[in-house]
Amino acid sequence: MEGKQWNVQIFISEDDNDDVTTARAVLFTDRGKRHEGVAHARRNPVDQPVPEIGDELAVGRALSTLAAQLIQDGAQDVAQMAGSAREYGG
């Protein structure tokens, strides 16, 4: 079996007040299919601004969203393949 490598790019941005951190996790498969997860982390106004915390939360959530999308895509592909096999008597 041939090894494969998929790379995820993560883009992080903050609003002007450092209250909201947004993260985008983007994955391109080796066949060029694109997947993206986007998520946010909001700082409580009474908390001190610690950008690393917002980064961790937003990125973790974006990766979680990306993982859920990959699982859903895989399940849909399996269902589609099963449907195709039934159509052709497989």
Side-chain angles (χ1 to χ4, degrees):
M1 170 155 189
E2 181 181 326
K4 298 178 184 180
Q5 179 175 329
W6 290 0
N7 296 305
V8 176
Q9 292 183 313
I10 299 174
F11 303 91
I12 303 168
S13 62
E14 296 173 354
D15 70 347
D16 292 337
N17 298 325
D18 293 333
D19 292 334
V20 178
T21 302
T22 301
R24 284 189 316 120
V26 181
L27 166 72
F28 287 95
T29 68
D30 55 351
R31 294 187 176 180
K33 189 170 182 181
R34 182 179 191 276
H35 302 271
E36 180 176 340
V38 178
H40 309 281
R42 289 176 180 78
R43 181 176 63 86
N44 186 323
V46 299
D47 292 340
Q48 294 180 359
V50 182
E52 293 82 13
I53 294 172
D55 294 351
E56 292 168 345
L57 291 170
V59 170
R61 291 170 181 162
L63 289 170
S64 179
T65 299
L66 179 61
Q69 289 176 4
L70 288 168
I71 292 168
Q72 182 179 15
D73 287 351
Q76 289 174 347
D77 291 345
V78 167
Q80 186 176 33
M81 294 296 291
S84 295
R86 279 187 292 242
E87 288 177 20
Y88 296 107

